[in-house]
Amino acid sequence: MFCSEGATVIVTDLLDEEGKELSKELGNPSEYFHLDVKSEEEWVEVTHKILEKYGQLNVLINNAGITGFLETNGPFDAENVDLNSWNEVHQVNSNGVMLGCKYAIKLMKEKGGAIVNISSRSGIVGIPTAVAYASSKASSRNHTKSVALYCAEKGYHIRCNSIHPAAIMTPMWDMMLGTGEERKKMIKSIENGIPLGHFGEPIDVAYGALFLSTNESKYITGTELNIDGGILAGSEATPE
Ligand SMILES: NC(=O)c1ccc[n+]([C@@H]2O[C@H](COP(=O)([O-])OP(=O)(O)OC[C@H]3O[C@@H](n4cnc5c(N)ncnc54)[C@H](O)[C@@H]3O)[C@@H](O)[C@H]2O)c1
């Protein structure tokens, strides 16, 4: 989406082979840098590379995120949550966003820019069996507002907003959905709880990110955009 709008896109991830492949697919101008978002050292390195090669950064999408289900041992229910697993999820989803904002501000403060933090609907409502994910996403939602206010107070012309996706069909769902018939049943049961009746696609989030990154949203900062098929619009506990 950003490439097609003429942006030079720097892709970062832990998955170097996939990242390089993606930046090739996107074509020029696009580039891949390794970045573990929880490492301040690596943010510093990437910041230097961007400054050296491009001299500025206009947009940061803080998109890296984990549920912890694959990456840690868990469990993640409120009564039994494992502290190391909780910490790991927060390091990526919460510390990663904080570090991204910190270094983006340094790169953007002369010329202005936009930061978009990909939080989640779980940053707005609780998830009883994914407490670390929900808490870490609430952290990135709130940090967005602090960053927005800080940049406005300083007169930096940097806007910062959060996006709250839900039920977007990406590899993040693979482990939760299972395979074969079980997957089909799970998808159907989840879709029954989505007002629009189906999963969203990555492009649905990309349109939101593009809007919040460009001049069309020049008067919008510190706000949150739900991209969730209507899930957050209501509650299952409908009054009779
Ligand atoms: N898919 C959904 O339904 C959904 C819903 C709400 C929020 N989100 C959020 O959207 C964002 C994108 O998720 P997705 O659905 O595309 O999931 P995904 O698992 O497909 O992508 C997440 C990416 O983050 C990378 N990553 C993980 N840890 C990292 C680290 N320490 N440093 C750098 N990169 C790291 C992974 O390698 C992967 O490429 C996440 O923040 C996720 O929490 C997704």
Side-chain angles (χ1 to χ4, degrees):
M1 173 74 75
F2 280 77
C3 278
S4 70
E5 293 293 323
T8 299
V9 174
I10 296 161
V11 178
T12 63
D13 206 290
L14 297 174
L15 306 173
D16 297 335
E17 286 315 308
E18 288 88 336
K20 283 179 198 158
E21 234 359 84
L22 175 62
S23 79
K24 258 193 234 156
E25 254 173 57
L26 295 175
N28 275 333
S30 161
E31 185 162 13
Y32 173 78
F33 293 144
H34 177 90
L35 170 65
D36 181 344
V37 295
K38 56 184 198 258
S39 158
E40 183 150 19
E41 257 170 42
E42 294 189 19
W43 276 105
V44 171
E45 266 174 47
V46 166
T47 300
H48 285 317
K49 283 187 200 163
I50 292 172
L51 266 181
E52 250 170 47
K53 192 150 179 198
Y54 301 100
Q56 63 181 321
L57 182 73
N58 308 114
V59 173
L60 171 70
I61 313 290
N62 267 321
N63 184 54
I66 59 171
T67 56
F69 296 148
L70 267 184
E71 304 81 0
T72 70
N73 293 328
F76 285 110
D77 65 274
E79 185 177 4
N80 300 299
V81 58
D82 171 65
L83 182 60
N84 289 332
S85 306
W86 166 278
N87 287 342
E88 177 66 19
V89 170
H90 280 80
Q91 278 186 25
V92 178
N93 298 357
S94 173
N95 298 12
V97 167
M98 175 275 288
L99 290 171
C101 293
K102 175 175 172 180
Y103 287 93
I105 292 171
K106 296 182 195 307
L107 283 165
M108 291 174 180
K109 66 182 180 185
E110 298 300 328
K111 295 187 177 158
I115 301 172
V116 179
N117 294 328
I118 308 296
S119 176
S120 169
R121 71 138 177 167
S122 319
I124 297 177
V125 295
I127 307 282
T129 51
V131 294
Y133 184 73
S135 159
S136 64
K137 291 295 185 178
S139 155
S140 70
R141 173 193 183 213
N142 191 275
H143 191 62
T144 300
K145 298 176 197 308
S146 300
V147 170
L149 293 175
Y150 176 84
C151 292
E153 275 170 23
K154 291 274 179 185
Y156 284 165
H157 303 293
I158 300 171
R159 296 179 300 101
C160 183
N161 293 288
S162 58
I163 292 184
H164 299 264
I168 307 296
M169 191 52 85
T170 68
M172 183 173 266
W173 280 92
D174 284 346
M175 198 208 131
M176 296 179 273
L177 293 175
T179 52
E181 278 310 302
E182 187 202 340
R183 181 180 171 96
K184 281 189 202 156
K185 269 197 218 154
M186 270 294 265
I187 290 178
K188 195 146 185 19
S189 125
I190 292 167
E191 287 183 337
N192 284 339
I194 304 173
L196 288 184
H198 57 84
F199 270 80
E201 304 172 73
I203 195 83
D204 297 321
V205 179
Y207 275 114
L210 183 68
F211 169 65
L212 291 173
S213 303
T214 49
N215 246 3
E216 280 75 8
S217 62
K218 65 185 167 49
Y219 199 50
I220 300 179
T221 196
T223 194
E224 44 202 70
L225 175 61
N226 300 336
I227 302 183
D228 66 348
I231 293 174
L232 284 167
S235 150
E236 280 180 11
T238 318
E240 294 294 333

